[in-house]
Amino acid sequence: MILAIKNALSTIAPKLTYDVLIENQEDGTVKATLLSLPEFQGFGANKEEALNNLIQLFQARKPEIVTLEIKCYETKNPLMEVTEIRNNEGNAWDVLEALTGTIEAPSDWSS
């Protein structure tokens, strides 16, 4: 497996957008939560104050945003192997013969 990390800011515009959940609290305050990063929450007396506090918190913590790309090793399809044998060997009987093998068996199958 091959792992590559790319800096997201190098491939997209530096301005990022986030979905924010705005919730009115029982005590009359407002809570703003980044949905993609729920540990980032801002509180305030109103929506604007909660959003401003959330932005300040986000900027103060300076999170690094990267894109993680994982490339898996290529696996060989067993049917491709049969196709290769057929192309190299000729007909279906040749393919069956190429796929056959031997197994070790007990001297007495009743045991």
Side-chain angles (χ1 to χ4, degrees):
M1 186 178 300
I2 300 170
L3 175 65
I5 299 175
K6 298 178 181 177
N7 187 337
L9 297 179
S10 65
T11 58
I12 61 172
K15 183 176 181 181
L16 303 173
T17 60
Y18 295 95
D19 293 324
V20 177
L21 174 65
I22 304 294
E23 296 176 285
N24 293 318
Q25 302 296 299
E26 290 181 10
D27 63 358
T29 60
V30 177
K31 177 171 76 169
T33 305
L34 285 179
L35 291 178
S36 57
L37 300 165
E39 67 275 6
F40 284 90
Q41 297 179 344
F43 297 88
N46 55 43
K47 178 180 171 180
E48 291 75 23
E49 186 178 328
L51 286 171
N52 283 331
N53 289 338
L54 177 62
I55 291 168
Q56 289 175 5
L57 173 66
F58 188 81
Q59 290 172 341
R61 290 177 69 180
K62 299 178 185 175
E64 181 179 359
I65 300 170
V66 297
T67 301
L68 183 62
E69 181 180 316
I70 301 173
K71 295 180 182 178
C72 296
Y73 292 115
E74 191 175 313
T75 58
K76 193 170 186 177
N77 186 337
L79 295 176
M80 293 302 292
E81 184 178 336
V82 171
T83 303
E84 288 173 9
I85 294 171
R86 186 183 149 279
N87 290 339
N88 293 335
E89 301 293 332
N91 63 37
W93 292 110
D94 294 330
V95 172
L96 288 174
E97 185 176 337
L99 294 174
T100 59
T102 59
I103 60 168
E104 294 201 19
S107 56
D108 181 10
W109 281 91
S110 64
S111 58

